């Protein structure tokens, strides 16, 4: 089953791209409902490179949800939902230990593209189209898992929209009117 957000973020595309690679942003948009701790010897890096990153998740900082591998891969491609060329971050890891292992298939896809109606002639601040799609399968429990993720994705959307205006100053790209990969 699939959960999808289609948002317009108040930041340049380059800043949104950097935010998608930030463990700090990952933790901020997951919280306070879910907390994440790095299981890597060095802890969370400043910016996630491609590859595997192990985390421990807790519900409300207390209830163990298990361990998950975040397996990141970047791509530039035409996105049919955005209807534009986009930069895409894939997370094809998934739960590896604990209650979340009921999820047997995990594909989290985050795509960004400049909003073509923003940043023109200096009238509007740069904005970014963002789709956030999670595909999960959990056997007979898939509908229940979908419901839980749907609620979480709605809460995540609020955090993304709330935090995005600060990303231009945090990650750069303030002069970017949309940016390209």
């Amino acid at each position: 089953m699939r959960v999808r957000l289609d948002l317009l973020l108040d930041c340049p595309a380059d800043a949104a791209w950097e935010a998608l690679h930030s463990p700090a942003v990952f933790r901020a948009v997951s919280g306070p409902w879910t907390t994440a701790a790095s299981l890597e010897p060095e802890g969370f890096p400043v910016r996630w490179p491609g590859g595997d990153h192990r985390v421990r998740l807790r519900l409300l900082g207390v209830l163990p949800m298990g361990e998950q591998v975040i397996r990141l891969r970047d791509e530039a491609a035409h996105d049919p939902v955005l209807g534009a060329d986009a930069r895409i971050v894939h997370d094809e890891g998934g739960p590896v230990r604990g209650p979340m292992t009921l999820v047997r298939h995990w594909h989290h896809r985050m795509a960004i593209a400049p909003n073509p109606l923003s940043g023109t002639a200096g009238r509007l601040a740069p904005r970014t189209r963002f789709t956030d799609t999670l595909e999960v399968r959990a056997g007979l429990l898939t509908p229940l898992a979908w419901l839980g993720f749907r609620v979480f994705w709605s809460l995540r959307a609020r955090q993304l929209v709330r935090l995005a205006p600060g990303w231009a100053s945090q990650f750069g790209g303030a002069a970017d009117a949309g940016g390209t990969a």
Side-chain angles (χ1 to χ4, degrees):
M1 297 193 110
R2 180 179 299 155
V3 177
R4 177 179 291 148
L5 299 175
D6 190 356
L7 304 173
L8 196 56
L9 301 176
D10 288 325
C11 68
D14 286 344
W17 181 250
E18 290 305 312
L20 295 181
H21 291 85
S22 168
V25 169
F26 161 72
R27 294 172 76 191
V29 301
S30 298
W33 315 279
T34 302
T35 60
S38 176
L39 294 175
E40 300 300 326
E42 305 82 28
F44 284 115
V46 172
R47 185 184 197 279
W48 265 326
D52 290 3
H53 310 279
R54 297 174 310 130
V55 297
R56 177 176 296 120
L57 302 172
R58 292 186 180 275
L59 182 63
L60 302 172
V62 179
L63 299 172
M65 295 172 58
E67 295 177 12
Q68 182 159 334
V69 171
I70 298 171
R71 182 170 294 130
L72 299 177
R73 174 177 60 87
D74 293 343
E75 171 186 30
H78 182 80
D79 185 280
V81 176
L82 294 175
D85 289 338
R87 288 180 279 179
I88 303 162
V89 178
H90 296 270
D91 170 12
E92 297 168 311
V96 293
R97 189 169 291 141
M100 292 273 297
T101 56
L102 68 94
V103 175
R104 296 182 190 136
H105 170 79
W106 178 278
H107 184 189
H108 182 193
R109 182 182 185 277
M110 297 167 281
I112 63 161
N115 180 28
L117 302 177
S118 69
T120 57
R123 290 184 295 234
L124 300 172
R127 297 179 93 188
T128 298
R129 294 274 321 273
F130 173 70
T131 61
D132 191 13
T133 307
L134 177 65
E135 294 178 12
V136 294
R137 285 194 296 272
L140 294 174
L141 297 175
T142 298
L144 184 60
W146 177 87
L147 181 61
F149 284 117
R150 181 67 190 114
V151 169
F152 180 75
W153 246 238
S154 295
L155 297 170
R156 177 180 158 86
R158 288 185 196 168
Q159 293 288 72
L160 287 160
V161 169
R162 183 180 68 80
L163 293 171
W167 292 344
S169 61
Q170 185 177 359
F171 298 109
D176 173 28
T180 56

